[in-house]
Amino acid sequence: MNTTSNKQYSSSSSLASSALQVLEARWVVPVLPQGMVLEHYSVVTSDNCILAILPQEQARAQYPSARIVDLNEHVLIPGLINLHTHAAMSLMRGFADDKPLMQWLQQHIWPAEKHFVSELFVRQGTLLGCAEMLAGGTTCFSDMYFFPQSVAEAAVQAGMRANIGLLVMELLSNYACDAEDYLQKGLQARDSWRDNELLSASLAPHAPYTVSNATFEQIITYAEQLGLNIHMHLHETRIEIEESLKQYGIRPLQRLESLGLLGPSLVAAHGVYLTEAEMTSLARHSCHIAHCPTSNLKLASGIAPVDALVKAGVNVVLGTDGAASNNRQDMFAEMRLAALLAKGASGDAESVPAAQALAMATINAAKALGQDNKLGSLEAGKYADIVAVDLSAVEIQPCYDVISHLVYSAGREHVSHVWIAGELKYQKLQGQAGIYADIEPAELKEISTEWQTRLSQYLA
């Protein structure tokens, strides 16, 4: 294989430059049009964008001076987009397993966060999460956590795209004392990275049960003035709905609609318990649902009605949630589980076919971020955020349908190359450990060891 040498790894901050290069692949799955597979095609990149997608011989003839990357047993896909996570909670992976959501939050996670969460915790935990996501083919993530400036710093170090949620809630934390404090600190952090093309921001009210009507009204005003999305948890558990009925006399979604919060800028994570009328309302307002199947199952929150949501016309995307409630930030696992759960829950084997599951992790997610003109598919003019998946491994042979293989057979361990803006940020050759462009494995090991010691002492 004609790949970058070890000497080149050490001579630059990235594994390979973003100069003119031709990625020659056995297959290219551009995602748009959905279901298309191009065989023996090349993706040509220059600077940070895709220049062209052409048959291999044509690409070689048209760009004779380009650097060739030989990927003759691989499929190229757009970078995966994780639309809901709390990356810093990688430091709490396996911290309080096998607990229902509210017990998990109130008795375990929130007390531990009060004890440990700081700028350092968030920066180091997010970097650990970025490393996991990169190695699994995720090039962009939508985060929601404390200290957004620290999230930004970690994402920039890793060279990843991030939509950073500016967390808002009424609860006192190590980060802020009240909703107004959350808002002002978040907006100040956002101002510091506004010119970085890798980063964007959303206003992130935690959930209806932690945010007042007055605060929601402020959030709507800021979102409209600044052109920001709104990213929040919604209808994750039955308890959330029951408490809303007791306190407000209406269900959470109805409350949000009455406040004017529903619209194409809203990304609602989970959406497990939705009536037919609520799904119709989400579709009418062009809202997006970030489906997190593994986390919902692990916390026994339930199974989102994805088949019905899709049929209602709601844009469904995928997220992992944090590693504390999932244990993995693995978008290949989420694609597979989302497709399987939709079939099992609906009784329809044709529900969420493989191509649709892949779209949920790519172009649908880009649409939810308002960035589908830049991300989510392999098209000339879009950012060169590209993932190569090696399909040569014996455990996933033979291969009859490439897209089906990506969703049902391949896993994150088969990711061999990850480019972001045309720069190679991660590479794993057969039989070798993965190499990051901008992250030192020794640093990750130190981070993991240090925080495991601290949290283990706390648990004891």
Side-chain angles (χ1 to χ4, degrees), residues 83-320:
L83 236 289
H84 181 68
T85 188
H86 316 285
M89 296 183 81
S90 297
L91 294 176
M92 293 182 173
R93 191 191 315 271
F95 174 78
D97 283 344
D98 305 322
K99 307 285 192 302
L101 176 63
M102 296 315 295
Q103 180 184 342
W104 176 78
L105 277 175
Q106 295 172 355
Q107 298 179 25
H108 301 276
I109 297 300
W110 286 347
E113 286 177 332
K114 184 176 181 180
H115 196 81
F116 290 106
V117 169
S118 64
E119 291 181 6
L120 181 65
F121 178 98
V122 174
R123 190 188 187 286
Q124 292 187 337
T126 302
L127 186 64
L128 187 64
C130 285
E132 179 186 6
M133 287 188 279
L134 263 180
T138 296
T139 57
C140 176
F141 65 101
S142 190
D143 202 70
M144 179 197 290
Y145 209 59
F146 308 98
F147 297 102
Q149 182 63 38
S150 296
V151 177
E153 290 168 2
V156 168
Q157 179 181 338
M160 290 187 72
R161 296 191 195 280
N163 180 263
I164 302 172
L166 311 179
L167 181 66
V168 183
M169 55 183 173
E170 314 293 338
L171 304 176
L172 173 68
S173 71
N174 298 355
Y175 169 57
C177 60
D178 56 28
E180 183 64 26
D181 196 23
Y182 280 96
L183 274 168
Q184 295 310 313
K185 285 179 175 175
L187 293 171
Q188 184 178 2
R190 179 246 181 189
D191 286 342
S192 71
W193 70 63
R194 285 176 61 186
D195 296 329
N196 190 317
E197 68 175 20
L198 289 174
L199 304 179
S200 58
S202 293
L203 289 166
H206 172 261
Y209 56 88
T210 55
V211 178
S212 69
N213 285 354
T215 298
F216 273 129
E217 289 168 357
Q218 273 191 291
I219 287 168
I220 293 168
T221 300
Y222 278 121
E224 291 174 349
Q225 290 177 347
L226 300 174
L228 299 180
N229 279 3
I230 297 173
H231 178 192
M232 66 184 298
H233 301 95
L234 181 66
H235 284 221
E236 187 174 1
T237 66
R238 288 191 180 92
I239 293 175
E240 173 190 339
I241 295 167
E242 291 167 1
E243 291 301 315
S244 179
L245 288 168
K246 289 178 184 177
Q247 184 173 357
Y248 298 99
I250 52 178
R251 289 163 65 91
L253 186 63
Q254 186 181 351
R255 177 178 158 224
L256 298 185
E257 186 168 19
S258 71
L259 292 168
L261 205 75
L262 302 193
S265 64
L266 177 64
V267 178
H270 303 299
V272 175
Y273 296 97
L274 293 166
T275 65
E276 185 175 339
E278 286 169 337
M279 288 185 270
T280 299
S281 180
L282 288 168
R284 184 174 67 252
H285 290 284
S286 301
C287 302
H288 316 274
I289 289 290
H291 178 36
C292 303
T294 300
S295 178
N296 292 155
L297 288 179
K298 185 165 179 286
L299 293 169
S301 297
I303 300 172
V306 171
D307 183 70
L309 281 163
V310 171
K311 288 176 178 175
V314 178
N315 182 44
V316 179
V317 304
L318 295 179
T320 61

Side-chain angles (χ1 to χ4, degrees), residues 60-78:
R60 285 204 175 208
Q62 194 165 331
Y63 302 98
S65 63
R67 173 181 175 272
I68 304 294
V69 180
D70 182 4
L71 299 163
N72 62 11
E73 296 182 299
H74 301 67
V75 54
L76 294 178
I77 61 173

